[in-house]
């Protein structure tokens, strides 16, 4: 076959891939339905504070109510906002047919006042909990420890609100995934596994917990039958000790709780979850975990994605082709894709400076070439795809069907 014909066919195939990319992403440009509502009142030294949450649902909603994920922001219990979800994560979760409920909660600056039930629990463990040595003192550390427990109270209040009102917002609240980063990860773990220890009932069953670089309170332990947990953590974290995560992973395995652990070597606190490794990203894997936990929990399997036993706390495993690993795998290297993904081919076509990614101008030129009628939407397309806001598109940021 003439070489020119081979090149022509290859070019036509790549054009089809780029057209598929544009077709896949264009429908998501319609703003997902979002609204802000007040879910309760939180007591503070200066009076009641209105507590709000944002609801982000897939464009067009869901036929029988959207499976729901609750996002709890980070910030050391001192700062942060529910807006984090909209800025970083909601669109990717909505694209998988799930709703995101992002909550605000009382912070250090609010000077929270805790409920008697919470205070009884704190007082019962304070003497044996060095981390609570400043609790109740009028100091920065003292108020941070109060805010730590206020976040638990407020998350439970938000769950109670969704239990009563969620269906009116198009949500399926038969169960929920709790998802948080840093202080939010800590709160997601404490609510998901320790609400009853503190003396509270969860108004909605927890189907799973996604924890980005947080840790479970020392006085709370997992139990057989608990919801599955997804963990990721940077090994060089000096804010939240890394050792807490392999300990949590191994504890889950020992108690028969399904657990997925993605250690991040040579990474500190708040590591980049969109960084590609071996054809996947932590963001993609955590969203897959949410979807499985809510829609097909029987498909979840436990694994630690690392070849280094020290990072996993003793048990290592691989990531099979179906995106899950068999529980009990002990050794093996992460599997690599034997041939280039469709996304990599799309980027190769337009990557003029050969840096392995597309700049805004390179992407715009590609859209103009393949779909001239959609050229005016190239900027919005790029912004939607550029999840980590670094001004470059890598293969991991293109739609899952092209990877």
């Amino acid at each position: 076959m003439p070489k020119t014909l081979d090149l022509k066919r290859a070019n036509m195939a790549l054009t089809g891939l780029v057209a598929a990319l544009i077709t896949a992403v264009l429908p998501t440009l319609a703003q997902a339905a979002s609204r802000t509502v007040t879910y309760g009142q939180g007591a503070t030294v200066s009076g009641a504070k209105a507590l709000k949450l944002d609801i982000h649902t897939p464009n067009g909603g869901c036929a029988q109510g959207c499976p729901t994920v609750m996002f709890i922001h980070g910030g050391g219990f001192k700062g942060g906002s529910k807006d984090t979800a909209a800025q970083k994560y909601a669109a990717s979760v909505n694209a998988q047919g799930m709703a995101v409920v992002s909550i605000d909660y009382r912070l250090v600056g609010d000077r929270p006042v805790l409920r008697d039930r919470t205070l009884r629990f704190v007082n019962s463990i304070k003497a044996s909990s060095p981390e609570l040595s400043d609790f109740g003192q009028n100091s920065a550390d003292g108020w941070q420890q109060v805010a730590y427990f206020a976040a638990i109270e407020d998350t439970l209040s938000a769950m109670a609100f969704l239990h009563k009102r969620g269906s009116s917002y198009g949500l399926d609240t038969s169960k929920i995934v709790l998802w948080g980063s840093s202080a939010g990860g800590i709160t997601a773990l404490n609510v998901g596994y320790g609400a009853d220890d503190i003396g509270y009932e969860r108004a909605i069953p927890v189907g799973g917990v996604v924890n980005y670089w947080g840790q479970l309170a020392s006085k709370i332990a997992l139990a057989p039958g608990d919801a599955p947990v997804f963990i990721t953590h940077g090994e060089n974290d000096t804010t939240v000790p890394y050792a807490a995560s392999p300990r949590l992973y191994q504890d889950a395995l020992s108690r028969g709780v399904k657990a997925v652990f993605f250690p991040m070597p040579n990474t500190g606190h708040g590591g980049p979850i969109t960084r590609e490794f071996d054809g996947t990203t932590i963001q993609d894997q955590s969203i897959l975990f949410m979807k499985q936990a809510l829609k097909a929990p029987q498909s979840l399997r436990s694994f630690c994605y690392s070849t280094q036993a020290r990072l996993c706390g003793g048990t290592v495993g691989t990531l099979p082709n179906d995106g899950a690993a068999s529980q009990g795998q002990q050794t093996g290297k992460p599997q690599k894709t034997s041939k280039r993904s469709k996304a990599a081919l799309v980027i190769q076509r337009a990557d003029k400076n050969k840096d392995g990614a597309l700049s805004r101008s390179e992407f715009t030129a590609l859209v103009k070439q393949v779909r001239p009628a959609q050229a005016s939407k190239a900027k919005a397309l790029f912004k939607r795809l550029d999840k980590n806001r670094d001004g470059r598109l890598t293969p991991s940021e293109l739609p899952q069907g092209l990877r």
Side-chain angles (χ1 to χ4, degrees):
M1 183 179 293
K3 185 176 182 180
T4 53
L5 185 56
D6 281 346
L7 290 174
K8 183 176 180 181
R9 287 183 174 177
N11 189 57
M12 289 175 62
L14 283 173
T15 297
L17 289 176
V18 176
L21 160 67
I22 297 171
T23 300
V25 178
L26 275 175
T28 72
L29 289 179
Q31 181 63 41
S34 302
R35 57 170 42 179
T36 300
V37 298
T38 299
Y39 70 83
Q41 302 287 326
T44 73
V45 295
S46 58
K49 175 183 178 177
L51 301 172
K52 298 182 182 295
L53 56 78
D54 292 337
I55 302 172
H56 307 279
T57 53
N59 187 43
C62 307
Q64 297 180 333
C66 297
T68 303
V69 177
M70 179 175 288
F71 180 76
I72 310 163
H73 68 79
F77 303 103
K78 302 174 184 177
S81 164
K82 59 181 173 56
D83 298 339
T84 301
Q87 294 165 357
K88 292 186 176 181
Y89 307 123
S92 298
V93 179
N94 288 161
Q96 295 300 314
M98 295 176 287
V100 176
V101 174
S102 183
I103 70 169
D104 270 340
Y105 52 90
R106 289 168 292 168
L107 302 171
V108 168
D110 297 317
R111 299 294 193 264
V113 174
L114 300 178
R115 301 170 187 167
D116 290 343
R117 193 181 312 180
T118 307
L119 289 172
R120 284 195 295 272
F121 172 77
V122 174
N123 289 331
S124 72
I125 65 171
K126 185 176 178 181
S128 59
S129 304
E131 67 272 21
L132 295 177
S133 59
D134 293 320
F135 185 88
Q137 297 184 20
N138 188 20
S139 65
D141 287 345
W143 281 112
Q144 186 180 36
Q145 290 164 18
V146 171
Y148 177 103
F149 288 97
I152 296 172
E153 290 184 350
D154 295 345
T155 300
L156 289 164
S157 294
M159 293 172 70
F161 173 84
L162 293 181
H163 174 68
K164 293 179 180 178
R165 300 283 302 279
S167 61
S168 65
Y169 299 113
L171 306 178
D172 174 4
T173 56
S174 57
K175 61 180 174 179
I176 197 169
V177 166
L178 298 175
W179 172 29
S181 60
S182 193
I186 291 170
T187 304
L189 289 169
N190 288 340
V191 171
Y193 303 113
D196 48 351
D197 293 299
I198 301 172
Y200 293 97
E201 292 185 5
R202 291 175 289 266
I204 301 173
V206 174
V209 176
V210 174
N211 164 42
Y212 294 169
W213 42 90
Q215 70 179 103
L216 185 64
S218 61
K219 298 298 181 181
I220 295 174
L222 301 184
D226 275 346
V229 60
F230 181 101
I231 310 161
T232 189
H233 208 147
E235 69 163 327
N236 297 333
D237 193 338
T238 58
T239 303
V240 177
Y242 173 78
S245 287
R247 184 167 59 243
L248 176 62
Y249 172 68
Q250 294 295 337
D251 187 43
L253 295 184
S254 70
R255 298 172 189 273
V257 176
K258 292 181 179 179
V260 175
F261 183 23
F262 277 76
M264 291 187 285
N266 306 312
T267 304
H269 192 68
I273 62 170
T274 56
R275 183 177 61 196
E276 183 173 0
F277 56 99
D278 297 303
T280 189
T281 69
I282 290 172
Q283 176 168 296
D284 288 344
Q285 289 298 314
S286 60
I287 293 175
L288 173 64
F289 174 91
M290 296 173 198
K291 193 171 184 178
Q292 290 176 316
L294 290 170
K295 297 182 177 182
Q298 70 281 358
S299 67
L300 282 170
R301 302 178 230 170
S302 297
F303 66 95
C304 176
Y305 190 66
S306 177
T307 58
Q308 302 180 55
R310 65 177 182 83
L311 292 180
C312 298
T315 302
V316 298
T318 62
L319 183 69
N321 294 329
D322 65 354
S326 299
Q327 186 167 341
Q329 286 181 299
Q330 299 297 314
T331 60
K333 295 182 178 179
Q335 296 182 3
K336 297 183 181 294
T337 305
S338 60
K339 56 184 179 181
R340 302 195 72 181
S341 67
K342 295 176 183 178
L345 292 173
V346 169
I347 286 179
Q348 181 186 39
R349 170 171 177 164
D351 183 17
K352 302 301 182 184
N353 63 359
K354 305 304 178 188
D355 65 348
L358 295 186
S359 66
R360 190 188 307 274
S361 61
E362 289 171 337
F363 180 76
T364 299
L366 182 63
V367 174
K368 286 180 179 179
Q369 179 184 0
V370 176
R371 286 285 182 87
Q374 305 294 348
S376 63
K377 297 180 180 178
K379 182 178 180 180
L381 276 166
F382 186 92
K383 184 177 181 181
R384 175 56 58 90
L385 290 168
D386 185 20
K387 297 182 179 68
N388 63 357
R389 304 293 188 263
D390 66 349
R392 302 166 70 251
L393 293 183
T394 59
S396 67
E397 291 176 303
L398 298 188
Q400 209 146 2
L402 292 181
R403 295 182 206 156

